[in-house]
Amino acid sequence: MKKIAELKEIIAGGEFDEKLAQIYLDKDMIPYNRQRYVKALDKFTELFGDQEVAIYSAPGRSEVCGNHTDHQNGHVLATSINLDAIAIVAPREDGVIELVSDDMPKEVINVNDIEQDPALEGTTTALIKGVVAGIRDYGFKVGGFTAFVTSDVLMGAGMSSSAAFESLIGTILSGLYNDMKVSSVDVAKIGQYAENVYFGKPCGLMDQMACSVGNMVYIDFNNKENPVVNKLDVDIKKFGYSLCITDTKGSHKDLTDDYADIRREMNAVASYFGQEVLRGITLKDILDNFKELQEKFGDRSILRAVHFIEENERVENEVNALISGNIDEFLRLVSKSGDSSYKYLQNIYSTKDTANQGVSLGLMMSEIFLGDNGACRVHGGGFAGTILAIVKDTAIDEYRRNMDKIFGDGASMILQIRHCGGVRII
């Protein structure tokens, strides 16, 4: 760890630029991140005084394929991105975590008081307590620290800002008290535990895994306790395409029930076959028992079950297309995934608020603007937030200009595939 004044001099003077380029991949972002880090150090000093500190980072994520497959023990193709949450951190000996995240109120938590409290569901306090409890329950050490956190992972936009935060807290505890020996996979599972049990959101493991592990990853959740994670040495840039996210300006607030319904309905169909999840159930199984499933669980449950079955296979096909260099087949499958999410999974807008359909508009406008120059689909959990487009580099500037006209300046952004997950930077 180093004194803040020394770190500011190193970063502001450009000595840290090579590391910033490795992490964020875009040299044009170096001045922005240099300034961002210096501002974070200044803010820590303002809040907590000049101390010896370390800097940690955890990225947001983009889901490429596998829309709502993780919680059914399915396959997922996801990637970490070059937007992240960073923390300026100093250890402390009194067992207290004192944390300020951007402009949010200060969090003060004692690591000896981390019991789950239903009254705290949906709060940052719950997430921090849940991660501390998970680290402890996995047999690792926990302790106090002081931190200022700042993030450019958009909240409520399908980039998993909460998973990035959970991965950041887990990585901090791994670094400060466990010599970075808590594996990235364990950090991800601990983050999911915090979100499920303490925060009260029944999410799968994909978000946390992509944020914590990093790179483009193909994950098989068949054994949910020990998922198989394969990093793919693939970059769509070599095919002349880029990832592009557009924020349609919707919020994920008050959508927990919509997310929970997807899992509940899929699990209901699985229960008919004597299983907890849909993994292993085939389309033939659904068709052979169609009428009884319809009578017991309704039409939407069947649609969502069929989405899972086909999407799970589609992930494997997308991975094979990327590995073999068949970009046209990859793009076709991205479009098929988007169609399935819209028609079968039905997570494009909330039926509680049909007047607001930003994701639907984003997909419609993308199809109009892209033509044959790419493919698009809903991004992440859905119902509101962002869409993902895979856009030909020769068309991306025009696409972004058109999308920004609809959703506002800066709504559309190019993302890079970040090669590391949660890390200690200094």
Side-chain angles (χ1 to χ4, degrees), residues 64-65 75-78 216-219 230 232 234 313-326 330 333:
V64 182
C65 191
H75 298 129
V76 169
L77 178 61
M216 185 174 280
V217 288
Y218 169 44
I219 310 169
N230 294 297
L232 299 184
V234 173
E313 182 178 348
R314 195 157 32 238
V315 173
E316 293 185 88
N317 292 335
E318 278 198 22
V319 170
N320 291 333
L322 283 172
I323 291 173
S324 65
N326 190 342
F330 170 71
L333 292 166

Side-chain angles (χ1 to χ4, degrees), residues 20-21 24-34 82 416:
L20 291 175
Y24 300 105
L25 304 161
D26 185 347
K27 290 185 178 180
D28 292 339
M29 289 181 67
I30 288 175
Y32 159 74
N33 278 301
R34 191 192 294 153
N82 59 336
Q416 302 278 1

Side-chain angles (χ1 to χ4, degrees), residues 331-386:
L331 291 172
R332 186 188 73 82
L333 292 166
V334 170
S335 292
K336 288 286 288 182
S337 175
D339 288 345
S340 181
S341 291
Y342 211 143
K343 293 187 294 189
Y344 301 164
L345 185 61
Q346 299 181 21
N347 67 330
I348 306 304
Y349 60 90
S350 174
T351 55
K352 295 179 294 188
D353 185 16
T354 56
N356 293 301
Q357 297 192 33
V359 172
S360 306
L361 286 175
L363 294 171
M364 180 183 73
M365 301 313 296
S366 290
E367 290 179 353
I368 292 170
F369 297 143
L370 284 174
D372 295 329
N373 290 316
C376 63
R377 46 153 290 183
V378 66
H379 184 245
F383 297 109
T386 55

Side-chain angles (χ1 to χ4, degrees), residues 147-202:
F148 173 69
V149 174
T150 184
S151 177
D152 58 10
V153 181
L154 298 179
M155 294 182 66
M159 296 179 188
S160 296
S161 56
S162 60
F165 182 77
E166 294 150 15
S167 296
L168 185 66
I169 300 300
T171 304
I172 290 169
L173 290 169
S174 178
L176 290 182
Y177 296 106
N178 297 281
D179 298 321
M180 293 299 290
K181 290 180 180 177
V182 186
S183 73
S184 58
V185 171
D186 283 344
V187 168
K189 290 192 285 188
I190 288 164
Q192 184 202 25
Y193 166 78
E195 195 148 347
N196 287 175
V197 177
Y198 279 68
F199 191 78
K201 181 178 178 180

Side-chain angles (χ1 to χ4, degrees), residues 86-108:
I86 62 171
I88 314 300
V89 181
R92 49 194 294 168
E93 298 179 356
D94 59 0
V96 171
I97 294 173
E98 196 172 5
L99 180 147
V100 174
S101 184
D102 285 319
D103 297 325
M104 300 297 290
K106 182 186 292 185
E107 300 283 341
V108 181

